[in-house]
Amino acid sequence: MPQNTSIATLAGNDSGVPSSRETAVVDPSRDGDQHVKSAEQRVREWLSGLQPNTRRAYTRDLGAFVAYLGEVSLGAALERLCGVRRARALELVEGWRDTMRAPTADMPDGLSAATINRCLAAINSTLRHLGKADVGPGRLDVALIKAESRRDTAGPAAPDIGGVLRRMESESVPASVRNTAIVALAARRGLRRAEIANLRMVDIDLGRSQIAVLRKGKRERVRITVSGSTIEALNAWLAIRPEHANPDCAAVFVTLARGTRGTPMTTGGIYDIVRAAGASIGQTWRPHGLRHTAATTVLNNGGSLVAAQEFLGHANIATTTRYNDEKRRAADLAVQIVADKI
């Protein structure tokens, strides 16, 4: 994948990147005057209204497209894309898609279908937004990449997670105390890494054993209950957090690395912490794998699909059924029984 244009390039007029030639949109103003608003300005305003995670993803994806075209700014890329015939615009986007599919030294299989399709969605959403002002070709009928059959998402064994957490809980260095709370939230409460990264100090209610989380795709936080052991892990970190967090930092979890010390942790940082926890026993862990283990633990120990749905915060119960490993194993066993008898 081509190197991404920096997010600063897309961040706004204070990014330090001079605007290049830009497709202009004329809006009526007072007394017959006209105000020219560039396509880039329109896209920036549109991005600012998206959910934070979607905004960050689309910003990166648009930056990658800018780099693919070899342009110096989003404005120049939009000028090029919107200034050609629809068929040519489609060729440009299809060329980017095929480049992302191509193997590289770092990624022998190319980017995943999900990543490529999200990039294409970013472009089409941008073009659809500009189309409302009669700019550009509108949404392009570019073929998406068909995803391979769903990979095994089963997480690590619950006893392995418990053993690692108990070892982490016995360590008193600040990084271990913080990391214990993060892994506990992922494993014992099934939180997504973005939900952990977005936790603020005002979201923690230790007395009621509750936290307020921003669920995927939601604009308002919901209060959920956490276990006593997870509250203990959180409390241990919060007791030493003031020594490590910047005074104006609202995030619960902060970095301890030199250079960024005291600033909010990113989802990438949380991913690395979970990976390191698994590596300590020679396993490969992912945050979503811990979430999967939590869900299957609920389902395999008497919990209903509705209970698992509420636990995971799924809007649609059909999503929850994907976590039912026991159901899949039973189906596989039935196939073998029939094959042996018939």
Side-chain angles (χ1 to χ4, degrees), residues 22-310:
E22 296 174 347
T23 300
V25 179
V26 180
D27 288 341
S29 185
R30 64 184 185 279
D31 299 327
D33 292 337
Q34 290 183 326
H35 171 67
V36 178
K37 181 181 289 188
S38 72
E40 182 172 6
Q41 288 173 322
R42 284 188 173 271
V43 171
R44 286 172 175 166
E45 291 172 2
W46 165 68
L47 287 171
S48 69
L50 299 179
Q51 288 288 319
N53 287 341
T54 303
R55 181 172 63 249
R56 283 191 290 268
Y58 277 16
T59 297
R60 287 193 300 268
D61 297 339
L62 290 173
F65 184 65
V66 172
Y68 165 73
L69 292 182
E71 299 290 353
V72 296
S73 72
L74 178 60
L78 292 175
E79 166 89 4
R80 184 169 169 186
L81 187 62
C82 296
V84 297
R85 300 176 72 89
R86 182 179 178 82
R88 176 56 182 155
L90 181 60
E91 288 178 358
L92 288 173
V93 176
E94 287 177 336
W96 183 42
R97 176 202 61 194
D98 295 342
T99 297
M100 290 188 285
R101 295 184 68 182
T104 65
D106 295 332
M107 305 189 74
D109 297 324
L111 293 179
S112 69
T115 298
I116 295 173
N117 291 339
R118 190 200 63 222
C119 289
L120 297 176
I123 288 292
N124 264 330
S125 294
T126 300
L127 292 175
R128 184 167 56 246
H129 177 73
L130 290 175
K132 295 175 182 178
D134 292 329
V135 174
R139 186 182 184 281
L140 297 171
D141 295 325
V142 56
L144 300 179
I145 304 301
K146 184 178 179 179
E148 299 293 330
S149 58
R150 191 174 63 87
R151 65 185 178 186
D152 182 12
T153 57
D160 290 341
I161 299 173
V164 169
L165 274 171
R166 285 188 291 274
R167 176 186 57 75
M168 295 174 70
E169 288 165 348
S170 68
E171 299 173 354
S172 58
V173 297
S176 292
V177 176
R178 179 201 62 189
N179 296 352
T180 300
I182 288 172
V183 174
L185 286 168
R188 291 174 177 159
R189 195 52 186 85
L191 293 191
R192 302 174 178 91
R193 53 178 168 158
E195 292 168 347
I196 298 173
N198 288 329
L199 278 177
R200 307 165 303 180
M201 292 298 294
V202 296
D203 297 328
I204 309 298
D205 188 341
L206 295 175
R208 296 183 179 180
S209 297
Q210 291 183 340
I211 59 176
V213 297
L214 187 62
R215 290 296 197 186
K216 184 178 180 180
K218 302 298 182 182
R219 292 184 179 273
E220 296 185 2
R221 294 173 185 264
V222 294
R223 288 210 161 269
I224 62 173
T225 301
V226 295
S227 66
S229 58
T230 304
I231 285 293
E232 289 177 8
L234 266 174
N235 198 29
W237 163 243
L238 294 179
I240 64 172
R241 178 187 174 279
E243 306 169 25
H244 306 285
N246 291 340
D248 60 346
C249 181
V252 170
F253 296 107
V254 300
T255 63
L256 302 176
R258 185 178 302 172
T260 58
R261 184 181 181 87
T263 60
M265 287 204 69
T266 64
T267 56
I270 290 170
Y271 185 92
D272 290 341
I273 286 169
V274 172
R275 294 279 286 192
S280 69
I281 57 170
Q283 295 181 5
T284 301
W285 289 6
R286 299 171 295 108
H288 205 81
L290 300 187
R291 177 174 165 84
H292 187 99
T293 298
T296 54
T297 301
V298 171
L299 293 169
N300 294 345
N301 289 275
S304 67
L305 273 175
V306 173
Q309 178 189 16
E310 289 298 313

